Each structure stands twice: as structure tokens, then as C-alpha cells.
Amino acid sequence: MIFIAVKWTVKPEYADRFPELTREFTAGTRSEPGNIFFEWNKSLDEENTYTLVEAFQDDAASAHVNSDHFKKFVAEAPDYVDTTPRIISVQGVDGNGWGEMGEVKPR
């Protein structure tokens, strides 16, 4: 599995609308063969910052970065960001998605 986390610091004037601005990109990516998950989260600590957490099957990366929705979003994104996004990308991660955390169980 390929695991990717990207921190996006968005210009203040786009911060509240960022989920709407990424909707087409998000829907397109989630519908790709080989996409395991693609989730946006708004930071509780860093103003105007979103973290994208995504995972793909090992053979799905090329199709993702060559898709029309990816190319369109990458072309538009420089208008929305306040800084260059920061990324962690790890290939060859064992598993096929989210697993359960062993240390915490519901009572």
C-alpha cells in the first residue's frame, strides 16, 4: 500500500471554502480503482490548515497522478495555498487500509 499525508496551509480567503474547492478532486480520486481512502481533516491547532490522508494500492499511483482530476487540481491549487504543501509518502506499507487500535476499546 502507498500511504500519503499532505499538509495544506490555505490562504485565509479560501480556508472556509477549501472543502468545496477540493470536492471534484476528492470525488474523482475516491472513485479511482486502487484508491483505499482519501480523507481531508481540518487542523485544530494550525490556522487555515488541512491535512489530506490518502492510501492507494501499490499499482495505483501512476493512474492517480495522470488522471484529469489530479492534473486539474494541481493546476488550480497554487491559487489557494499560502505555503508549499508538506508531504509524507511511504510506499510498501503493509495492510490494505485502517486497522483497529489495540490500546483503546469502547467500554
XYZ file of all heavy atoms in Angstrom:
860
model
N 0.850 -1.174 0.000
C 0.000 0.000 0.000
C 0.894 1.235 0.000
O 1.965 1.240 0.600
C -0.893 -0.043 1.249
C -1.702 1.190 1.516
S -2.872 0.999 2.898
C -1.799 1.256 4.289
N 0.458 2.287 -0.668
C 1.120 3.592 -0.636
C 0.328 4.470 0.337
O -0.888 4.602 0.206
C 1.130 4.246 -2.026
C 1.819 3.345 -3.043
C 1.793 5.617 -1.967
C 1.575 3.766 -4.482
N 1.012 5.031 1.321
C 0.378 5.900 2.310
C 0.942 7.304 2.150
O 2.162 7.487 2.097
C 0.644 5.403 3.731
C 0.095 6.310 4.783
C -1.239 6.242 5.134
C 0.908 7.243 5.413
C -1.755 7.092 6.101
C 0.399 8.092 6.373
C -0.939 8.016 6.718
N 0.048 8.289 2.054
C 0.458 9.678 1.835
C -0.295 10.584 2.805
O -1.505 10.430 2.988
C 0.153 10.117 0.381
C 0.847 9.192 -0.616
C 0.555 11.572 0.152
C 0.336 9.323 -2.037
N 0.427 11.516 3.391
C -0.183 12.576 4.199
C 0.361 13.902 3.683
O 1.573 14.047 3.498
C 0.141 12.396 5.675
N -0.543 14.848 3.423
C -0.139 16.152 2.894
C -0.787 17.247 3.740
O -2.003 17.248 3.930
C -0.567 16.333 1.415
C -0.003 17.638 0.860
C -0.154 15.152 0.560
N 0.031 18.186 4.232
C -0.476 19.338 4.974
C -0.610 20.512 4.023
O 0.351 20.882 3.338
C 0.459 19.716 6.116
C 0.300 18.862 7.328
C 1.089 19.431 8.467
C 0.210 19.434 9.675
N 0.855 20.035 10.824
N -1.798 21.078 3.977
C -2.112 22.200 3.097
C -2.422 23.428 3.955
O -3.414 23.437 4.676
C -3.355 21.880 2.267
C -3.199 20.728 1.330
C -3.302 19.401 1.633
C -2.928 20.801 -0.054
N -3.109 18.652 0.520
C -2.880 19.488 -0.544
C -2.724 21.866 -0.934
C -2.630 19.202 -1.875
C -2.486 21.575 -2.261
C -2.432 20.256 -2.722
N -1.586 24.459 3.877
C -1.901 25.728 4.523
C -2.516 26.619 3.447
O -1.877 26.949 2.453
C -0.656 26.372 5.135
O -0.090 25.456 6.074
C -1.017 27.668 5.845
N -3.765 26.968 3.673
C -4.583 27.641 2.669
C -4.629 29.144 2.958
O -4.637 29.565 4.119
C -6.009 27.035 2.687
C -6.909 27.696 1.680
C -5.932 25.529 2.442
N -4.645 29.948 1.902
C -4.809 31.391 2.079
C -6.090 31.651 2.864
O -7.108 30.987 2.635
C -4.890 32.084 0.716
C -3.590 32.048 -0.067
C -3.759 32.686 -1.437
C -2.470 32.603 -2.236
N -2.645 33.088 -3.620
N -6.071 32.611 3.784
C -7.245 32.864 4.632
C -8.543 33.054 3.856
O -9.600 32.578 4.285
C -6.867 34.135 5.402
C -5.375 34.134 5.414
C -4.951 33.504 4.109
N -8.478 33.700 2.708
C -9.717 33.952 1.959
C -10.319 32.686 1.341
O -11.475 32.685 0.909
C -9.496 35.012 0.871
C -8.472 34.655 -0.178
C -7.055 35.132 0.129
O -6.678 35.246 1.313
O -6.312 35.377 -0.839
N -9.560 31.579 1.311
C -10.063 30.315 0.769
C -10.287 29.250 1.847
O -10.816 28.178 1.554
C -9.102 29.753 -0.280
C -9.010 30.590 -1.521
C -7.851 31.303 -1.814
C -10.076 30.679 -2.403
C -7.764 32.083 -2.962
C -9.999 31.461 -3.543
C -8.835 32.151 -3.818
O -8.763 32.922 -4.953
N -9.861 29.520 3.067
C -9.858 28.491 4.109
C -11.241 27.890 4.371
O -11.379 26.672 4.453
C -9.275 29.052 5.399
N -12.263 28.711 4.507
C -13.603 28.179 4.786
C -14.198 27.451 3.588
O -14.996 26.534 3.754
C -14.545 29.294 5.237
C -14.194 29.814 6.618
O -13.526 29.093 7.386
O -14.575 30.961 6.921
N -13.805 27.843 2.385
C -14.342 27.247 1.159
C -13.497 26.089 0.634
O -13.857 25.458 -0.364
C -14.432 28.308 0.055
C -15.434 29.396 0.346
C -15.569 30.407 -0.788
N -15.371 29.856 -2.110
C -14.589 30.411 -3.049
N -13.964 31.533 -2.809
N -14.451 29.860 -4.236
N -12.376 25.786 1.292
C -11.470 24.771 0.771
C -12.135 23.400 0.565
O -11.905 22.765 -0.467
C -10.219 24.655 1.645
C -9.079 23.955 0.972
C -8.505 24.469 -0.177
C -8.572 22.776 1.488
C -7.444 23.820 -0.813
C -7.509 22.125 0.873
C -6.949 22.638 -0.280
N -12.976 22.931 1.484
C -13.658 21.650 1.212
C -14.470 21.681 -0.088
O -14.465 20.711 -0.853
C -14.555 21.461 2.427
C -13.843 22.192 3.519
C -13.258 23.419 2.835
N -15.125 22.785 -0.360
C -15.883 22.934 -1.609
C -14.942 22.974 -2.817
O -15.206 22.364 -3.858
C -16.712 24.219 -1.542
C -17.434 24.587 -2.810
C -18.016 25.991 -2.747
O -18.351 26.460 -1.650
O -18.108 26.628 -3.811
N -13.825 23.658 -2.676
C -12.870 23.796 -3.777
C -12.176 22.476 -4.119
O -11.686 22.306 -5.235
C -11.822 24.862 -3.440
C -12.366 26.285 -3.266
C -11.303 27.201 -2.666
C -12.867 26.834 -4.592
N -12.134 21.564 -3.181
C -11.487 20.264 -3.405
C -12.494 19.152 -3.712
O -12.098 18.013 -3.925
C -10.664 19.845 -2.172
O -11.532 19.684 -1.047
C -9.578 20.861 -1.855
N -13.763 19.472 -3.743
C -14.817 18.449 -3.887
C -14.668 17.600 -5.149
O -14.750 16.365 -5.095
C -16.193 19.108 -3.856
C -17.332 18.136 -3.750
C -18.647 18.859 -3.564
N -18.426 20.069 -2.786
C -18.948 20.312 -1.582
N -19.759 19.478 -1.056
N -18.677 21.425 -0.941
N -14.454 18.209 -6.296
C -14.334 17.461 -7.553
C -13.098 16.561 -7.527
O -13.157 15.395 -7.935
C -14.256 18.436 -8.729
C -14.170 17.763 -10.077
C -14.066 18.780 -11.219
O -14.482 19.956 -11.049
O -13.547 18.387 -12.287
N -11.989 17.095 -7.050
C -10.757 16.326 -6.919
C -10.956 15.145 -5.974
O -10.553 14.013 -6.267
C -9.650 17.256 -6.416
C -8.350 16.597 -6.079
C -7.704 15.753 -6.974
C -7.738 16.853 -4.864
C -6.483 15.165 -6.653
C -6.519 16.277 -4.542
C -5.893 15.430 -5.433
N -11.593 15.401 -4.855
C -11.839 14.352 -3.862
C -12.731 13.253 -4.433
O -12.407 12.063 -4.329
C -12.466 14.965 -2.594
O -11.540 15.921 -2.053
C -12.778 13.910 -1.562
N -13.832 13.626 -5.041
C -14.756 12.632 -5.608
C -14.076 11.820 -6.706
O -14.236 10.591 -6.768
C -16.011 13.318 -6.146
N -13.328 12.490 -7.562
C -12.635 11.791 -8.635
C -11.618 10.799 -8.100
O -11.514 9.669 -8.587
N -10.870 11.206 -7.090
C -9.851 10.326 -6.522
C -10.494 9.144 -5.807
O -10.044 8.003 -5.958
C -8.934 11.097 -5.561
O -8.327 12.174 -6.271
C -7.859 10.199 -4.985
N -11.537 9.392 -5.042
C -12.212 8.296 -4.331
C -12.797 7.258 -5.281
O -12.954 6.099 -4.901
C -13.299 8.849 -3.427
C -12.739 9.562 -2.208
C -13.830 10.143 -1.355
N -13.269 10.752 -0.157
C -13.955 11.563 0.644
N -15.220 11.876 0.373
N -13.372 12.068 1.714
N -13.114 7.653 -6.506
C -13.698 6.715 -7.457
C -12.646 5.965 -8.278
O -12.988 5.082 -9.067
C -14.662 7.444 -8.400
O -13.943 8.298 -9.267
N -11.372 6.284 -8.086
C -10.307 5.616 -8.836
C -10.148 4.163 -8.395
O -10.185 3.870 -7.194
C -8.960 6.306 -8.590
C -8.830 7.678 -9.164
C -7.506 8.319 -8.764
O -6.567 7.616 -8.331
O -7.412 9.557 -8.885
N -9.935 3.254 -9.354
C -9.552 1.894 -8.968
C -8.236 1.961 -8.197
O -7.327 2.711 -8.565
C -9.348 1.170 -10.304
C -10.026 2.019 -11.326
C -10.001 3.428 -10.801
N -8.146 1.250 -7.117
C -6.917 1.241 -6.323
C -6.878 2.251 -5.202
O -5.976 2.210 -4.361
N -7.858 3.167 -5.128
C -7.908 4.096 -4.000
C -8.461 3.350 -2.795
O -9.505 2.708 -2.879
C -8.780 5.313 -4.308
C -8.893 6.224 -3.099
O -9.904 6.227 -2.414
N -7.851 6.960 -2.816
N -7.770 3.425 -1.674
C -8.219 2.772 -0.442
C -8.958 3.776 0.436
O -10.033 3.491 0.939
C -7.023 2.135 0.298
C -6.380 1.064 -0.603
C -7.462 1.547 1.630
C -5.056 0.527 -0.097
N -8.378 4.953 0.630
C -9.088 6.045 1.298
C -8.459 7.373 0.906
O -7.318 7.430 0.459
C -9.155 5.878 2.828
C -7.828 5.722 3.524
C -7.042 6.812 3.850
C -7.376 4.463 3.889
C -5.833 6.661 4.502
C -6.166 4.297 4.559
C -5.393 5.395 4.862
N -9.246 8.432 1.069
C -8.840 9.782 0.689
C -9.647 10.712 1.589
O -10.835 10.929 1.365
C -9.171 10.010 -0.790
C -8.534 11.222 -1.402
C -7.245 11.183 -1.892
C -9.245 12.402 -1.508
C -6.658 12.301 -2.478
C -8.680 13.528 -2.092
C -7.383 13.473 -2.580
N -9.023 11.224 2.655
C -9.754 11.948 3.694
C -9.085 13.275 4.040
O -7.884 13.321 4.287
C -9.842 11.094 4.961
C -10.525 9.767 4.730
C -10.551 8.890 5.969
O -10.153 9.356 7.054
O -10.959 7.734 5.832
N -9.888 14.329 4.058
C -9.430 15.663 4.460
C -9.803 15.893 5.920
O -10.897 15.529 6.356
C -10.119 16.734 3.627
C -9.717 16.771 2.197
C -10.366 16.178 1.145
C -8.599 17.465 1.627
N -9.722 16.454 -0.035
C -8.628 17.244 0.230
C -7.573 18.240 2.169
C -7.674 17.781 -0.626
C -6.625 18.772 1.313
C -6.679 18.547 -0.066
N -8.913 16.542 6.660
C -9.169 16.906 8.053
C -8.677 18.327 8.281
O -7.590 18.690 7.824
C -8.410 15.961 8.993
C -8.835 14.531 8.788
O -9.877 14.126 9.234
N -8.031 13.761 8.060
N -9.483 19.107 8.999
C -9.088 20.479 9.319
C -8.344 20.480 10.653
O -8.790 19.875 11.625
C -10.313 21.390 9.401
C -9.943 22.847 9.531
C -11.122 23.759 9.344
C -10.630 25.198 9.365
N -11.714 26.141 9.242
N -7.200 21.154 10.695
C -6.382 21.198 11.900
C -7.090 21.938 13.033
O -7.711 22.985 12.809
C -5.049 21.887 11.609
O -4.284 22.009 12.792
N -6.944 21.405 14.231
C -7.451 22.085 15.420
C -6.430 23.079 15.963
O -6.781 23.952 16.743
C -7.780 21.053 16.510
C -8.838 20.013 16.156
C -8.997 19.012 17.299
C -10.165 20.680 15.826
N -5.174 22.934 15.542
C -4.087 23.742 16.095
C -3.460 24.734 15.123
O -2.925 25.751 15.549
C -2.974 22.828 16.621
C -3.471 21.907 17.716
O -4.202 22.367 18.608
O -3.141 20.702 17.665
N -3.496 24.428 13.837
C -2.852 25.287 12.847
C -3.922 25.970 11.997
O -4.673 25.314 11.290
C -1.920 24.460 11.953
C -0.767 23.835 12.716
C 0.095 22.971 11.829
O 0.607 23.503 10.826
O 0.241 21.783 12.132
N -3.955 27.287 12.083
C -4.966 28.065 11.381
C -4.885 27.857 9.866
O -3.790 27.809 9.300
C -4.777 29.547 11.724
C -5.912 30.411 11.279
C -5.781 31.842 11.785
O -4.665 32.273 12.110
O -6.812 32.517 11.824
N -6.054 27.713 9.251
C -6.176 27.583 7.792
C -5.422 26.381 7.226
O -4.972 26.403 6.079
C -5.708 28.863 7.082
C -6.442 30.089 7.578
O -7.606 30.031 7.938
N -5.751 31.214 7.619
N -5.277 25.344 8.021
C -4.516 24.170 7.609
C -5.405 22.933 7.560
O -6.172 22.664 8.483
C -3.326 23.930 8.555
O -2.483 25.083 8.516
C -2.527 22.705 8.165
N -5.264 22.198 6.461
C -5.961 20.933 6.256
C -4.906 19.847 6.048
O -3.851 20.109 5.462
C -6.854 20.991 5.012
C -8.057 21.879 5.169
C -7.945 23.259 5.000
C -9.300 21.352 5.481
C -9.048 24.074 5.145
C -10.413 22.171 5.625
C -10.278 23.529 5.454
O -11.369 24.345 5.605
N -5.208 18.656 6.516
C -4.341 17.513 6.250
C -5.114 16.516 5.406
O -6.250 16.160 5.726
C -3.864 16.847 7.554
O -3.175 17.822 8.336
C -2.933 15.680 7.269
N -4.505 16.098 4.332
C -5.062 15.081 3.449
C -4.352 13.777 3.767
O -3.124 13.703 3.723
C -4.842 15.462 1.986
C -5.224 14.443 0.933
C -6.701 14.080 1.007
C -4.875 14.965 -0.454
N -5.129 12.750 4.125
C -4.582 11.428 4.406
C -5.139 10.495 3.347
O -6.358 10.405 3.177
C -4.973 10.955 5.826
C -4.373 9.589 6.122
C -4.543 11.972 6.868
N -4.243 9.839 2.604
C -4.687 9.029 1.477
C -3.881 7.741 1.386
O -2.743 7.678 1.840
C -4.595 9.815 0.178
C -3.244 10.466 -0.065
C -3.233 11.424 -1.246
O -3.639 11.020 -2.350
O -2.792 12.572 -1.060
N -4.508 6.728 0.791
C -3.818 5.456 0.577
C -4.307 4.847 -0.728
O -5.478 4.988 -1.104
C -4.063 4.494 1.734
N -3.367 4.192 -1.396
C -3.643 3.548 -2.679
C -2.985 2.173 -2.698
O -1.966 1.959 -2.030
C -3.051 4.375 -3.835
C -3.616 5.748 -3.954
C -3.049 6.806 -3.267
C -4.713 5.988 -4.762
C -3.569 8.095 -3.376
C -5.238 7.266 -4.875
C -4.671 8.318 -4.185
N -3.533 1.286 -3.490
C -2.838 0.039 -3.758
C -1.538 0.390 -4.465
O -1.456 1.402 -5.169
C -3.699 -0.879 -4.622
C -4.955 -1.344 -3.924
C -5.906 -2.061 -4.868
O -5.744 -2.051 -6.080
N -6.936 -2.668 -4.295
N -0.529 -0.434 -4.298
C 0.809 -0.128 -4.830
C 0.825 0.197 -6.314
O 1.633 0.995 -6.756
C 1.764 -1.293 -4.557
C 2.212 -1.341 -3.101
O 2.308 -0.274 -2.474
O 2.466 -2.447 -2.602
N -0.053 -0.405 -7.085
C -0.028 -0.203 -8.536
C -0.931 0.935 -9.015
O -1.107 1.129 -10.205
C -0.402 -1.502 -9.250
C -1.773 -2.027 -8.854
O -2.382 -1.488 -7.901
O -2.238 -2.984 -9.491
N -1.499 1.715 -8.093
C -2.474 2.737 -8.476
C -1.902 4.152 -8.569
O -2.593 5.067 -9.011
C -3.637 2.734 -7.487
N -0.670 4.353 -8.197
C -0.110 5.705 -8.136
C -0.037 6.378 -9.502
O -0.389 7.548 -9.641
C 1.274 5.676 -7.496
N 0.399 5.665 -10.492
C 0.557 6.252 -11.823
C -0.775 6.735 -12.387
O -0.879 7.843 -12.912
C 1.202 5.245 -12.772
O 1.335 5.800 -14.058
N -1.797 5.906 -12.256
C -3.125 6.291 -12.750
C -3.628 7.530 -12.008
O -4.263 8.403 -12.608
C -4.105 5.134 -12.606
N -3.349 7.620 -10.714
C -3.809 8.761 -9.917
C -3.179 10.064 -10.406
O -3.885 11.029 -10.706
C -3.495 8.530 -8.440
C -3.781 9.707 -7.576
N -5.028 10.275 -7.471
C -2.967 10.446 -6.776
C -4.978 11.308 -6.649
N -3.733 11.434 -6.222
N -1.849 10.102 -10.499
C -1.187 11.358 -10.878
C -1.371 11.704 -12.348
O -1.112 12.840 -12.734
C 0.306 11.373 -10.489
C 0.483 11.254 -8.990
C 1.083 10.300 -11.217
N -1.833 10.770 -13.147
C -2.099 11.043 -14.560
C -3.577 11.269 -14.854
O -3.947 11.495 -16.010
C -1.554 9.898 -15.429
C -0.047 9.923 -15.477
O 0.553 10.904 -15.881
N 0.574 8.846 -15.036
N -4.421 11.249 -13.832
C -5.857 11.446 -14.022
C -6.166 12.913 -14.320
O -5.429 13.826 -13.909
C -6.632 11.000 -12.775
O -6.342 11.865 -11.691
N -7.259 13.155 -15.016
C -7.666 14.527 -15.342
C -7.964 15.333 -14.089
O -7.596 16.516 -14.001
C -8.881 14.516 -16.268
C -8.547 14.023 -17.666
O -7.346 14.046 -18.043
O -9.475 13.622 -18.389
N -8.645 14.723 -13.105
C -8.994 15.482 -11.890
C -7.743 15.855 -11.091
O -7.698 16.923 -10.493
C -10.032 14.739 -11.034
C -9.654 13.348 -10.670
N -10.013 12.272 -11.443
C -8.958 12.853 -9.633
C -9.555 11.165 -10.880
N -8.905 11.492 -9.790
N -6.714 15.003 -11.088
C -5.463 15.338 -10.407
C -4.781 16.513 -11.112
O -4.383 17.495 -10.475
C -4.529 14.125 -10.364
C -3.222 14.384 -9.661
C -3.109 14.204 -8.296
C -2.105 14.821 -10.358
C -1.912 14.446 -7.639
C -0.895 15.068 -9.720
C -0.808 14.871 -8.349
N -4.649 16.409 -12.429
C -3.988 17.473 -13.196
C -4.715 18.806 -13.048
O -4.089 19.860 -12.901
C -3.900 17.074 -14.665
C -2.925 15.942 -14.916
C -2.953 15.532 -16.372
C -2.070 14.336 -16.643
N -2.156 13.889 -18.035
N -6.045 18.769 -13.058
C -6.831 19.994 -12.912
C -6.610 20.616 -11.535
O -6.386 21.827 -11.415
C -8.318 19.706 -13.133
C -9.180 20.933 -13.015
C -10.641 20.620 -13.260
C -11.441 21.913 -13.155
N -12.789 21.707 -12.717
N -6.657 19.783 -10.492
C -6.486 20.311 -9.142
C -5.075 20.861 -8.936
O -4.904 21.938 -8.356
C -6.807 19.249 -8.085
C -6.681 19.778 -6.694
C -7.601 20.691 -6.203
C -5.626 19.403 -5.880
C -7.476 21.210 -4.922
C -5.488 19.906 -4.602
C -6.417 20.813 -4.122
N -4.068 20.167 -9.412
C -2.687 20.649 -9.268
C -2.500 21.978 -10.000
O -1.741 22.840 -9.542
C -1.693 19.567 -9.750
C -0.284 20.105 -9.875
C -1.712 18.389 -8.787
N -3.200 22.164 -11.095
C -3.117 23.442 -11.824
C -3.804 24.573 -11.059
O -3.368 25.726 -11.109
C -3.738 23.292 -13.208
N -4.883 24.264 -10.327
C -5.641 25.277 -9.585
C -5.071 25.550 -8.197
O -5.171 26.669 -7.684
C -7.098 24.820 -9.408
C -7.873 24.689 -10.690
C -9.227 24.018 -10.488
O -9.504 23.497 -9.387
O -10.008 24.026 -11.446
N -4.490 24.543 -7.560
C -4.077 24.620 -6.161
C -3.134 25.782 -5.828
O -3.256 26.366 -4.745
C -3.475 23.287 -5.721
N -2.207 26.172 -6.710
C -1.338 27.300 -6.351
C -2.095 28.596 -6.035
O -1.602 29.440 -5.284
C -0.447 27.465 -7.586
C -0.371 26.092 -8.160
C -1.762 25.530 -7.956
N -3.309 28.738 -6.554
C -4.114 29.916 -6.241
C -4.643 29.879 -4.803
O -4.941 30.927 -4.232
C -5.310 30.016 -7.193
C -4.891 30.280 -8.626
O -3.807 30.872 -8.847
O -5.644 29.888 -9.534
N -4.774 28.686 -4.235
C -5.403 28.516 -2.922
C -4.414 28.434 -1.766
O -4.781 28.720 -0.624
C -6.254 27.248 -2.892
C -7.239 27.119 -4.021
C -7.451 25.902 -4.656
C -7.973 28.214 -4.481
C -8.364 25.769 -5.692
C -8.877 28.091 -5.522
C -9.070 26.865 -6.119
O -9.967 26.731 -7.153
N -3.177 28.015 -2.026
C -2.249 27.749 -0.922
C -1.458 28.980 -0.505
O -1.156 29.848 -1.316
C -1.280 26.588 -1.263
C -2.044 25.293 -1.465
C -0.412 26.897 -2.466
N -1.148 29.037 0.790
C -0.350 30.115 1.357
C 1.122 29.717 1.433
O 1.996 30.574 1.464
C -0.883 30.447 2.744
C -0.677 31.896 3.125
O -0.460 32.736 2.239
O -0.754 32.195 4.329
N 1.371 28.409 1.511
C 2.739 27.865 1.519
C 2.732 26.591 0.668
O 1.673 26.031 0.377
C 3.200 27.491 2.950
O 2.346 26.477 3.463
C 3.187 28.690 3.871
N 3.911 26.132 0.299
C 4.016 24.873 -0.426
C 3.557 23.738 0.487
O 4.020 23.645 1.634
C 5.483 24.627 -0.866
O 5.886 25.704 -1.700
C 5.626 23.308 -1.605
N 2.635 22.892 0.017
C 2.182 21.775 0.858
C 3.363 20.892 1.280
O 4.342 20.729 0.544
C 1.218 21.015 -0.061
C 0.731 22.055 -1.018
C 1.920 22.944 -1.260
N 3.245 20.321 2.473
C 4.267 19.424 3.029
C 3.744 17.998 2.945
O 2.575 17.753 3.252
C 4.581 19.822 4.464
C 5.291 21.178 4.528
C 5.122 21.884 5.837
N 3.725 22.361 5.908
C 3.118 22.711 7.026
N 3.735 22.625 8.162
N 1.877 23.134 7.015
N 4.579 17.050 2.541
C 4.112 15.703 2.242
C 4.981 14.638 2.903
O 6.191 14.806 3.053
C 4.067 15.471 0.705
C 3.419 14.136 0.349
C 5.452 15.609 0.098
C 3.114 13.972 -1.131
N 4.323 13.559 3.309
C 4.976 12.311 3.695
C 4.386 11.259 2.765
O 3.162 11.124 2.674
C 4.687 11.927 5.163
C 5.215 12.995 6.115
C 5.273 10.553 5.481
C 4.758 12.813 7.550
N 5.233 10.533 2.059
C 4.774 9.500 1.139
C 5.607 8.252 1.376
O 6.843 8.298 1.270
C 4.923 9.979 -0.308
O 4.479 8.987 -1.205
N 4.937 7.155 1.709
C 5.620 5.907 2.016
C 5.023 4.802 1.168
O 3.804 4.590 1.185
C 5.487 5.549 3.515
C 6.249 4.271 3.832
C 5.962 6.693 4.395
N 5.851 4.118 0.438
C 5.400 3.015 -0.408
C 5.760 1.693 0.251
O 6.738 1.599 0.978
C 6.049 3.108 -1.786
C 5.355 2.281 -2.819
C 5.700 2.734 -4.233
O 6.457 3.677 -4.438
N 5.139 2.066 -5.201
N 4.957 0.674 -0.005
C 5.236 -0.650 0.535
C 4.763 -0.847 1.962
O 5.265 -1.709 2.672
N 3.782 -0.043 2.398
C 3.223 -0.184 3.741
C 2.375 -1.452 3.778
O 1.567 -1.696 2.881
C 2.366 1.052 4.108
C 1.697 0.869 5.462
C 3.213 2.314 4.076
N 2.561 -2.270 4.805
C 1.750 -3.472 4.943
C 0.317 -3.105 5.289
O 0.066 -2.147 6.020
C 2.307 -4.379 6.047
C 3.615 -5.040 5.649
O 3.860 -5.180 4.440
O 4.382 -5.410 6.555
N -0.618 -3.874 4.769
C -2.027 -3.657 5.079
C -2.802 -3.189 3.873
O -2.247 -2.969 2.793
N -4.099 -3.022 4.083
C -4.969 -2.581 2.993
C -5.980 -1.553 3.470
O -7.067 -1.465 2.957
C -5.665 -3.779 2.333
C -6.494 -4.565 3.325
O -6.594 -4.190 4.495
N -7.084 -5.646 2.884
N -5.594 -0.787 4.484
C -6.488 0.256 4.985
C -6.345 0.402 6.489
O -5.362 -0.029 7.084
N -7.349 1.004 7.073
C -7.341 1.253 8.513
C -7.476 -0.051 9.286
O -8.286 -0.900 8.937
C -8.497 2.172 8.899
C -8.383 3.564 8.351
C -9.040 4.064 7.269
C -7.574 4.622 8.846
N -8.681 5.373 7.053
C -7.786 5.746 8.013
C -6.685 4.738 9.906
C -7.137 6.956 8.219
C -6.043 5.955 10.106
C -6.273 7.041 9.270
N -6.705 -0.196 10.341
C -6.839 -1.310 11.271
C -7.311 -0.779 12.615
O -7.360 0.436 12.835
N -7.666 -1.677 13.503
C -8.113 -1.253 14.837
C -6.918 -0.993 15.748
O -5.932 -1.729 15.726
C -9.001 -2.327 15.467
C -10.337 -2.451 14.809
C -11.264 -3.393 15.550
O -10.796 -4.139 16.433
O -12.457 -3.374 15.232
N -7.020 0.049 16.564
C -6.002 0.364 17.558
C -6.187 -0.567 18.750
O -7.287 -0.636 19.316
C -6.150 1.824 17.985
C -5.146 2.280 18.985
S -5.454 4.041 19.359
C -4.330 4.271 20.700
N -5.161 -1.280 19.102
C -5.272 -2.264 20.183
C -5.375 -1.681 21.564
O -5.908 -2.313 22.479
N -4.873 -0.459 21.779
C -4.813 0.104 23.133
C -6.132 0.709 23.617
O -6.299 0.947 24.805
C -3.733 1.191 23.197
C -2.330 0.710 22.962
C -1.976 0.571 21.487
O -2.803 0.901 20.595
O -0.853 0.126 21.207
N -7.057 0.991 22.725
C -8.307 1.644 23.133
C -9.485 0.868 22.566
O -9.569 0.642 21.364
C -8.364 3.112 22.641
C -9.695 3.753 23.021
C -7.205 3.912 23.190
N -10.378 0.456 23.456
C -11.606 -0.251 23.063
C -12.786 0.447 23.748
O -12.653 0.928 24.877
C -11.569 -1.710 23.508
C -10.409 -2.508 22.958
C -10.694 -2.919 21.556
C -9.566 -3.820 21.046
N -9.560 -4.000 19.651
N -13.951 0.485 23.118
C -15.121 1.076 23.773
C -15.463 0.292 25.048
O -15.285 -0.916 25.105
C -16.234 0.937 22.745
C -15.572 0.624 21.453
C -14.263 0.005 21.768
N -15.952 1.005 26.035
C -16.401 0.337 27.287
C -17.840 -0.063 27.135
O -18.629 0.536 26.517
C -16.256 1.275 28.466
C -14.843 1.609 28.776
C -14.803 2.481 30.038
N -13.787 3.476 29.907
C -12.599 3.394 30.513
N -12.291 2.369 31.251
N -11.726 4.365 30.358
